Amino acid sequence: MPDTTFDTATLSASRPLPKDWIMGISPYVPGKAAADDGRPLIKLSANENPLGTGDAARAAMAAGIADLATYPDPGAAKLREAIAGKYSLDPARIIYGTGSDELLHLAASAYAGPGDEVLYVRYGFSVYDIAARRVGAVPVVAPDKDYGTDVDALLALVTDRTRVVYLANPNNPTGTMTPASEIARLHAGLPGDVLFVLDQAYAEYLDDSEDDGGLALAEKASNVFVTRTFSKIHGLAAERIGWGYASAEIIDALHRIRAPFNVTTAGQQAAIAAINDNAWMERSRDHNAQWRAWLAEQVAALSNHGLRVVPSKANFLLILFEGKLTAEAALKGLMAEGYATRWLPGQGLPNALRITIGTEAQTRAVAAILRTLAEGA
Ligand SMILES: *Cc1c(COP(=O)(O)O)cnc(C)c1O
């Protein structure tokens, strides 16, 4: 240690203070993977792909780590071309990020600041609150309509301070879907200088007929930013890759503040393989549709015990507990049997659990445990 003498009085007299809006943030709570005693759990708490990662993406990932000494392509040119090719987009207007989380933060950072308002629905994705507060903006929360998006409620809260509107579609944690007509109506009602961020983290689970029109809207409109992720259907959550699409002007602004080299070389290669692996996506989508419907039926059969399922278009179900069995007791009962699910009292949902659709065996086990718990309550 260098022999430096400190004046201890000066040392304790002052200290750096975080911005008060930073200290107003409740940190993001990730889905559990272990019980309180450290025992590993089957993780149905983070909406990951229960089938894992496709072979093509896995092989590309393995090949991608051959050169670790060189920085990744900072523009992810091949990845942007692959995405553009698949969805008929302009590659120059695609931005990618360390997960779509980074992109959601970029949107608030570039378009909102202290005193501005950032609007989203109650039971919206928890990152929106953090993204808004982080830049000193005021989060404004619109009431839901039976857990779903209420476009009129959102529009009623737009003021001349509103800078960004976030909407996840399908939404997390509710799984609810806002149809294309409502998305169009929301967009039409927003002033042109409000950035509309449409978070499509679960869009790949939809049928073509259920498309909310977001990418088509972003193609034409000057105030729409659509985000997607490789963390859900593509099974690459560990690599942290998201992408977004907007006007050239929006993309230019966001590019100025994104972290350089924000997607690894192996991640870019795995993502290219994943986006071209239609068979894997279809298998994952079919699995999800089948077991989501099955689990929803099983829960509906427990309605006499106060269990109710919110209609979902995503890869999870939000189950409401309105009888003797509480959500907290169900969380603990499932955990005792080895399953981690998501209880969200901090998001105003003390009476609900969000459960990711797992493998067939996991889904059957969850249904059986819920039945035992409900009947025994
Ligand atoms: C999972 C999820 C994301 C994706 O996050 P990544 O950072 O891409 O892993 C984004 N939005 C919503 C609503 C999500 O549920």
Side-chain angles (χ1 to χ4, degrees):
M1 288 276 274
D3 183 17
T4 312
T5 328
F6 290 110
D7 173 349
T8 46
T10 318
L11 270 184
S12 55
S14 67
R15 63 194 194 284
L17 288 177
K19 291 295 184 189
D20 51 9
W21 57 77
I22 298 295
M23 297 317 285
I25 292 174
S26 308
Y28 181 81
V29 184
K32 277 195 176 199
D36 295 336
D37 60 9
R39 189 168 42 96
L41 298 171
I42 291 168
K43 197 174 166 206
L44 300 180
S45 58
N47 303 341
E48 293 142 332
N49 188 334
L51 307 181
T53 312
D55 289 341
R58 206 168 255 295
M61 183 82 212
I65 60 170
D67 176 11
L68 292 175
T70 312
Y71 276 110
D73 172 8
K78 288 188 176 143
L79 173 56
R80 285 189 292 109
E81 269 160 34
I83 294 167
K86 182 168 180 104
Y87 295 106
S88 307
L89 304 172
D90 174 358
R93 290 169 53 191
I94 293 171
I95 188 169
Y96 47 89
T98 303
S100 49
D101 278 3
E102 182 187 17
L103 301 172
L104 298 170
H105 280 289
L106 294 183
S109 303
Y111 289 91
D116 292 334
E117 292 173 359
V118 170
L119 178 61
Y120 47 85
V121 291
R122 176 156 60 160
Y123 316 132
F125 187 39
S126 57
V127 165
Y128 309 153
D129 180 83
I130 301 174
R133 291 178 192 271
R134 167 169 128 154
V135 299
V138 179
V140 178
V141 178
D144 61 298
K145 191 161 64 188
D146 201 17
Y147 298 92
T149 302
D150 183 340
V151 167
D152 294 308
L154 278 167
L155 290 175
L157 286 167
V158 172
T159 72
D160 54 11
R161 290 191 173 181
T162 309
R163 302 269 50 92
V164 179
V165 174
Y166 287 106
L167 184 67
N169 204 31
N171 186 40
N172 173 17
T174 61
T176 51
M177 179 77 196
T178 309
S181 56
E182 285 292 278
I183 294 292
R185 196 165 73 81
L186 173 58
H187 177 254
L190 290 175
D193 64 355
V194 172
L195 180 68
F196 178 24
V197 181
L198 188 56
D199 175 351
Q200 296 186 334
Y202 302 96
E204 296 85 358
Y205 285 103
L206 303 170
D207 294 336
D208 287 346
S209 68
E210 295 168 328
D211 177 10
D212 68 10
L215 285 174
L217 196 58
E219 186 68 49
K220 287 179 286 183
S222 54
N223 64 337
V224 176
F225 180 40
V226 169
T227 62
R228 293 275 186 112
T229 182
F230 283 93
S231 301
K232 304 288 157 64
I233 207 168
H234 295 299
L236 287 171
E239 260 310 295
R240 315 299 308 119
I241 314 163
W243 62 275
Y245 196 65
S247 70
E249 204 177 314
I250 292 170
I251 295 300
D252 172 61
L254 302 181
H255 260 298
R256 290 165 195 261
I257 52 171
R258 83 174 168 86
F261 309 112
N262 55 353
V263 179
T264 66
T265 301
Q268 291 182 28
Q269 294 182 15
I272 293 166
I275 204 143
N276 289 320
D277 192 346
N278 290 328
W280 181 256
M281 287 178 70
E282 209 169 301
R283 203 179 132 200
S284 301
R285 191 184 304 121
D286 289 351
H287 171 89
N288 186 62
Q290 179 183 352
W291 293 100
R292 183 183 63 203
W294 184 85
L295 184 59
E297 254 173 51
Q298 299 296 307
V299 174
L302 296 173
S303 63
N304 54 329
H305 295 287
L307 273 68
R308 180 156 74 98
V309 65
V310 176
S312 170
K313 290 289 179 188
N315 66 345
F316 56 85
L317 290 181
L318 188 72
I319 300 174
L320 309 173
F321 295 80
E322 298 166 332
K324 272 197 191 144
L325 176 65
T326 64
E328 187 176 14
L331 172 87
K332 289 185 176 155
L334 283 158
M335 201 175 282
E337 297 295 327
Y339 287 89
T341 59
R342 196 67 172 268
W343 183 43
L344 295 161
Q347 275 182 258
L349 291 165
N351 64 334
L353 283 190
R354 193 196 70 191
I355 304 183
T356 306
I357 304 304
T359 62
E360 171 179 349
Q362 292 164 356
T363 310
R364 287 186 183 279
V366 162
I369 297 164
L370 284 176
R371 172 168 288 276
T372 304
L373 291 170
E375 288 174 347

